[in-house]
Amino acid sequence: MSPRRRDTEATPPREGRRAELLATAAEVFAAQGYAATTIRQVADAAGILGGSLYYHFDSKEAMADEILSTFLGDMWAAYDRVLGAGLGARETLEAIVAESFRCIDRHRPAVVLYQNESKHLATGERFRYLLDSHRRFEEMWTSLLERGVAEGVFRADLDVGLVYRFVRDTVWVAANWYRPGGRLSADDIAKQYLAMVLEGIQRGSG
Amino acid sequence: MSPRRRDTEATPPREGRRAELLATAAEVFAAQGYAATTIRQVADAAGILGGSLYYHFDSKEAMADEILSTFLGDMWAAYDRVLGAGLGARETLEAIVAESFRCIDRHRPAVVLYQNESKHLATGERFRYLLDSHRRFEEMWTSLLERGVAEGVFRADLDVGLVYRFVRDTVWVAANWYRPGGRLSADDIAKQYLAMVLEGIQRGSG
Amino acid sequence: MSPRRRDTEATPPREGRRAELLATAAEVFAAQGYAATTIRQVADAAGILGGSLYYHFDSKEAMADEILSTFLGDMWAAYDRVLGAGLGARETLEAIVAESFRCIDRHRPAVVLYQNESKHLATGERFRYLLDSHRRFEEMWTSLLERGVAEGVFRADLDVGLVYRFVRDTVWVAANWYRPGGRLSADDIAKQYLAMVLEGIQRGSG
Amino acid sequence: MSPRRRDTEATPPREGRRAELLATAAEVFAAQGYAATTIRQVADAAGILGGSLYYHFDSKEAMADEILSTFLGDMWAAYDRVLGAGLGARETLEAIVAESFRCIDRHRPAVVLYQNESKHLATGERFRYLLDSHRRFEEMWTSLLERGVAEGVFRADLDVGLVYRFVRDTVWVAANWYRPGGRLSADDIAKQYLAMVLEGIQRGSG
DNA sequence: AATGAATGAGGCTTCATTCAT
DNA sequence: CATGAATGAAGCCTCATTCAT
């Protein structure tokens, strides 16, 4: 399973090749869709031949797996830091949204992949964790929103299930157009999104 | 051998067979993704054999084409009615959002297909109109938002490009979970979405 | 098997429809090749739908069969008249060549079909007669040429097998470019071909 | 599982695999007709599986393309050598015919393919060069024959267009029955064909 | 690590053919 | 006679995967 067998070679990039290839794969998967992407396209983008990828990975699925689980691990670690900080509902929501945009910044192709393909991939046993993550997500948001309503900081006249979907989709969908290094930083975008989500786009009456 | 066995209607609907099959295809494409769907799965869902689909359609792509162009035609017809009604920016936005949710109601699978696959499909000549539609979309929203800012009904402190993406995505993404005939009607959802988009989810300070 | 069942209809072309369709089929087969021609192309050319051809013919093969056997029957009838006339070798050759060109005139598409596809079709039981015809052909020509050599009218320094192939091919291949009603009639062409075959294209030394 | 079992040459010819496969394909195409040949038949004849051919070639059409263009390239190179040698009309014709038979000897299946399928294949853009070659052919022969008539070595009483077709067909059709290594060599056959074409099969009166 | 050549399953599509109407 | 709708086998091609070198 481990790709290394020699110790004294001159070939420079030893460790990190795997991550490099995964980044390439994620980019191509995100650009074309997982099912529509061939292993050869990934290999072309990496400058090697199709078969050579199998030295590094067991299968196409394994690549998607590693891409997604890395992203989700990173994301939940960030979320857990926020959730453990004992903030109020509103501050928590702000922090979660901000972390989400930072995640998009770090894992953009993975996020796109997650959005477009997780429903489809999740049917396999190997991707069970996608469903788990999905459920944790829903619980987190629902309880956060309910807490906010209870604390009086969020409107009580809206359907919580609807708001959950609204906020969830709104944040992640940005991965489809966000490009790191653009005019607006991830934090800029987070700030504006939060303004919209919290206060709306309508000019305040005050 | 015969795909039906009921006697009370030995002759299938006759007219509209094409539309029937397209509806089935759209459903399957939306559920599994266009690339991940096999022609046999569509045929199975329609109760015929794979090859039989080619009596009605030239290719898998032709099905997607017809599904998408029908949806977009219907959508733009509705949008054009709204845009030609001479409403204010805020009322126009409300009407456009409402029409969008009605479109989701009528064409849910097509909308899902459009969202998930249009980026990928649009590379082919045949789907040129997807790009055109995309551009009209962007123009419509951008000018509408700018008009609203000018009229003083929308906030001026937000990036218009960002708001455009926010509103656009927010509306269409709902197609991924909306099910006609559910607890909330399309108009109910539109109303709540509008409330969120216009006023935010935060409890007003007034 | 017989296509007629009614006696009192008004539809004009009763008998002869079959021949009409066969002529159309032969034309298309000749133009595109038997294997490369679809039943639908034949039907299109005849102005009906694919399935409708099966009212008249049992199968695609049956059409080729009828086209080829009709042509060969006609051809051998003509040849037999010549061969039974008790002519000298040279006159017989002239008459056979002339009849061949008349056959091309009457059955051009069938001749093309015969030339291009008989080798391939002859593998089936149903087309056994193609092989038989081929053999009769070879025997006829070989004995005619040998007779001519014996009679002193044909050169003795040439390989008879080679001459046989030369004459045979030379004549039939003309079907590929001949068009009835062109500048030269079938008899004109026959005359010139005979001049070439008998005397050569070189200017005589006399 | 492995398609070879011999041990003395575990590594196949390596270089020239492509040419090997093309030769096999040409053989099968010539024997059965291009349209009637399945890719599996070609693969079977080559001792590999159907899909494996696509490692070497893009499509069935690409194989035909390469077979035909290789043959035509070789042929025109030979013709151009002859045409550039400054020979008289009669000697040029002799040399062209001789080269043609040598071409048949080297490329027999390609010649058969060219004869039987070029008309049909030439409808596609990719095979445009077949039409070009056809035109060059006609020009070459026509001007050669006219030159011969002007020089007084060819008969003036024959239709040049007819003679062109006669000579052209006469030569190439031999590919259908010629087998390298048979009783007569390509040069023997060329000599006899030339005798027939130039002097005819009739016994000279002198 | 990577290449070159294959495998083999399965996908899209075509097409001869059938049949109720 | 003809249509419309299907069947089902087979064809071309793709692609994830394997493996000797």
Side-chain angles (χ1 to χ4, degrees):
Chain A
M1 294 282 166
S2 158
R4 277 160 299 150
R5 220 154 299 150
R6 312 138 320 146
D7 278 27
T8 53
E9 298 295 344
T11 31
R14 192 181 314 270
E15 197 49 55
R17 184 75 173 117
R18 199 185 176 73
E20 243 174 67
L21 292 171
L22 276 180
T24 302
E27 212 78 58
V28 184
F29 287 157
Q32 315 203 343
Y34 174 74
T37 298
T38 72
I39 233 54
R40 250 204 71 192
Q41 289 173 318
V42 173
D44 282 356
I48 58 179
L49 288 183
S52 306
L53 277 175
Y54 287 82
Y55 179 80
H56 302 277
F57 305 100
D58 284 345
S59 66
K60 186 186 180 185
E61 238 188 359
M63 291 183 228
D65 188 355
E66 200 160 336
I67 291 165
L68 290 173
S69 58
T70 301
F71 150 60
L72 286 176
D74 191 38
M75 183 195 79
W76 280 110
Y79 280 8
D80 285 339
R81 272 193 304 278
V82 170
L83 296 173
L87 304 171
R90 195 202 137 120
E91 289 74 25
T92 301
L93 182 141
E94 286 177 8
I96 289 286
V97 168
E99 284 300 345
S100 300
F101 278 99
R102 283 189 209 109
C103 258
I104 291 176
D105 192 54
R106 288 195 302 274
H107 302 280
R108 195 192 52 82
V111 174
V112 173
L113 192 61
Y114 179 68
Q115 279 222 285
N116 295 335
E117 321 279 357
S118 70
K119 187 178 46 170
H120 178 231
L121 288 172
T123 58
E125 181 57 32
R126 156 175 234 159
F127 291 97
R128 166 74 47 87
Y129 65 89
L130 290 175
L131 292 176
D132 298 341
S133 179
H134 187 77
R135 261 191 290 274
R136 277 196 71 189
F137 231 108
E138 179 164 3
E139 283 163 23
M140 178 191 80
W141 275 111
T142 305
S143 68
L144 174 57
L145 291 170
E146 281 167 352
R147 180 153 71 95
V149 170
E151 291 177 5
V153 297
F154 297 152
R155 295 169 61 169
D157 62 327
L158 297 174
D159 185 284
V160 169
L162 222 52
V163 178
Y164 150 60
R165 289 189 182 87
F166 173 80
V167 181
R168 174 197 62 182
D169 294 342
T170 284
V171 169
W172 292 122
V173 151
N176 284 310
W177 53 262
Y178 176 70
R179 290 294 172 278
R183 187 165 51 89
L184 300 170
S185 74
D187 282 346
D188 292 337
I189 296 172
K191 216 169 294 173
Q192 296 232 7
Y193 261 66
L194 273 172
M196 291 188 272
V197 166
L198 290 171
E199 303 156 38
I201 67 169
Q202 195 172 214
R203 189 162 171 198
S205 53
Chain B
M1 295 282 166
S2 154
R4 301 160 202 268
R5 224 148 298 149
R6 299 160 304 168
D7 278 21
T8 45
E9 46 174 52
T11 340
R14 174 143 344 255
E15 201 43 62
R17 185 76 176 111
R18 208 188 165 71
E20 234 176 77
L21 293 171
L22 277 180
T24 303
E27 212 78 59
V28 186
F29 286 156
Q32 314 205 341
Y34 173 75
T37 298
T38 73
I39 229 61
R40 250 207 68 195
Q41 289 173 318
V42 174
D44 282 355
I48 59 179
L49 290 181
S52 305
L53 278 174
Y54 288 82
Y55 178 77
H56 302 277
F57 306 100
D58 283 345
S59 65
K60 187 185 180 187
E61 226 186 40
M63 292 184 225
D65 187 355
E66 200 159 336
I67 291 166
L68 290 173
S69 58
T70 301
F71 149 61
L72 285 175
D74 191 39
M75 183 196 79
W76 280 110
Y79 279 8
D80 285 339
R81 271 194 303 278
V82 169
L83 296 173
L87 304 172
R90 193 202 138 119
E91 288 74 25
T92 300
L93 181 141
E94 286 177 7
I96 288 287
V97 168
E99 283 300 345
S100 300
F101 278 99
R102 281 190 209 110
C103 258
I104 291 177
D105 192 52
R106 286 196 302 275
H107 301 281
R108 194 193 51 82
V111 174
V112 173
L113 192 60
Y114 180 67
Q115 280 223 283
N116 295 337
E117 320 279 358
S118 71
K119 189 180 42 172
H120 177 230
L121 289 173
T123 57
E125 179 57 31
R126 154 175 235 156
F127 291 98
R128 165 75 45 89
Y129 66 89
L130 290 175
L131 293 176
D132 297 341
S133 179
H134 188 77
R135 261 192 288 274
R136 274 196 74 188
F137 230 109
E138 180 163 3
E139 283 163 24
M140 178 191 81
W141 275 112
T142 306
S143 68
L144 174 58
L145 292 171
E146 282 166 353
R147 180 154 70 96
V149 171
E151 291 178 4
V153 298
F154 297 150
R155 296 170 59 170
D157 62 327
L158 298 173
D159 184 283
V160 169
L162 223 53
V163 178
Y164 150 60
R165 289 190 182 85
F166 172 80
V167 182
R168 176 197 61 182
D169 294 342
T170 283
V171 168
W172 292 120
V173 154
N176 283 311
W177 52 263
Y178 175 69
R179 289 294 172 279
R183 188 165 52 88
L184 299 171
S185 74
D187 282 346
D188 292 338
I189 297 173
K191 217 168 295 174
Q192 296 233 6
Y193 260 66
L194 273 172
M196 290 187 274
V197 167
L198 290 171
E199 304 156 37
I201 67 170
Q202 196 174 210
R203 189 163 167 193
S205 50
Chain C
M1 290 288 165
S2 158
R4 278 160 299 148
R5 220 153 297 152
R6 312 136 319 148
D7 279 25
T8 54
E9 299 294 346
T11 30
R14 194 183 310 272
E15 197 48 56
R17 183 77 172 116
R18 199 186 177 73
E20 242 173 70
L21 292 171
L22 277 180
T24 303
E27 212 78 59
V28 184
F29 286 156
Q32 316 203 340
Y34 174 74
T37 298
T38 73
I39 232 54
R40 250 204 71 193
Q41 289 172 319
V42 173
D44 283 356
I48 59 179
L49 288 182
S52 306
L53 277 175
Y54 287 82
Y55 178 80
H56 302 276
F57 305 100
D58 284 344
S59 65
K60 187 186 180 186
E61 238 189 358
M63 291 183 229
D65 187 354
E66 201 160 336
I67 291 164
L68 290 173
S69 57
T70 299
F71 150 60
L72 285 175
D74 191 38
M75 183 195 79
W76 280 111
Y79 280 9
D80 284 339
R81 269 194 305 278
V82 169
L83 296 173
L87 303 171
R90 194 202 140 119
E91 289 73 25
T92 300
L93 182 143
E94 286 178 16
I96 288 287
V97 167
E99 283 302 343
S100 299
F101 277 100
R102 283 190 207 110
C103 257
I104 291 177
D105 192 53
R106 286 196 303 276
H107 302 281
R108 194 192 51 85
V111 174
V112 173
L113 191 61
Y114 179 68
Q115 278 224 282
N116 295 336
E117 320 281 356
S118 70
K119 186 178 47 170
H120 179 231
L121 288 171
T123 58
E125 181 56 32
R126 155 174 236 157
F127 291 97
R128 165 74 47 87
Y129 66 89
L130 290 175
L131 292 176
D132 297 341
S133 179
H134 187 77
R135 260 190 289 274
R136 277 196 71 190
F137 232 110
E138 180 163 2
E139 282 161 25
M140 176 191 82
W141 276 111
T142 305
S143 68
L144 173 58
L145 292 170
E146 282 165 352
R147 179 154 70 96
V149 171
E151 291 178 5
V153 298
F154 297 152
R155 296 169 61 169
D157 61 328
L158 297 173
D159 185 286
V160 170
L162 221 53
V163 178
Y164 150 59
R165 289 189 183 89
F166 172 79
V167 181
R168 174 197 62 182
D169 295 342
T170 283
V171 168
W172 291 122
V173 151
N176 284 311
W177 54 262
Y178 176 70
R179 290 293 172 277
R183 187 165 51 88
L184 300 171
S185 74
D187 282 346
D188 292 338
I189 297 173
K191 216 167 298 174
Q192 296 233 5
Y193 261 66
L194 274 172
M196 291 187 272
V197 167
L198 290 172
E199 304 157 35
I201 67 171
Q202 197 173 210
R203 190 163 169 195
S205 53
Chain D
M1 296 279 163
S2 155
R4 306 166 198 264
R5 227 149 293 151
R6 300 160 303 165
D7 278 20
T8 45
E9 47 174 52
T11 340
R14 178 147 340 260
E15 202 45 62
R17 184 77 175 111
R18 207 186 166 71
E20 233 176 76
L21 292 171
L22 277 180
T24 304
E27 212 76 61
V28 185
F29 287 157
Q32 315 203 340
Y34 174 74
T37 299
T38 74
I39 228 58
R40 250 206 69 196
Q41 289 172 319
V42 174
D44 282 356
I48 58 180
L49 290 182
S52 305
L53 278 176
Y54 289 83
Y55 178 77
H56 302 277
F57 305 100
D58 283 343
S59 64
K60 188 186 179 187
E61 225 186 40
M63 292 184 227
D65 188 355
E66 200 159 336
I67 291 165
L68 290 173
S69 57
T70 301
F71 150 59
L72 285 175
D74 191 37
M75 183 196 78
W76 280 110
Y79 280 8
D80 285 339
R81 270 193 305 278
V82 169
L83 297 173
L87 304 173
R90 194 203 137 117
E91 288 73 24
T92 300
L93 182 141
E94 286 177 6
I96 288 286
V97 167
E99 284 300 345
S100 300
F101 277 99
R102 282 189 207 110
C103 257
I104 291 177
D105 192 53
R106 288 196 301 275
H107 301 281
R108 195 193 49 84
V111 174
V112 173
L113 193 59
Y114 180 67
Q115 279 223 284
N116 295 335
E117 320 279 357
S118 71
K119 188 179 44 169
H120 178 229
L121 288 172
T123 58
E125 180 56 32
R126 156 175 233 155
F127 291 98
R128 164 75 45 88
Y129 66 89
L130 290 175
L131 293 177
D132 298 341
S133 180
H134 187 76
R135 261 191 288 274
R136 275 197 73 189
F137 230 109
E138 181 165 2
E139 283 163 24
M140 178 192 80
W141 275 112
T142 305
S143 68
L144 173 58
L145 292 171
E146 282 166 353
R147 181 153 70 94
V149 171
E151 292 178 5
V153 297
F154 296 151
R155 296 170 59 171
D157 61 329
L158 298 173
D159 185 284
V160 169
L162 222 53
V163 178
Y164 150 60
R165 289 189 182 87
F166 173 80
V167 182
R168 174 197 63 182
D169 295 342
T170 283
V171 168
W172 291 119
V173 154
N176 283 310
W177 54 261
Y178 176 70
R179 291 294 173 277
R183 186 166 51 89
L184 298 172
S185 75
D187 281 344
D188 291 338
I189 296 173
K191 216 167 296 174
Q192 296 234 5
Y193 261 66
L194 274 172
M196 289 188 272
V197 167
L198 289 171
E199 304 155 36
I201 67 170
Q202 197 173 210
R203 190 165 168 194
S205 52

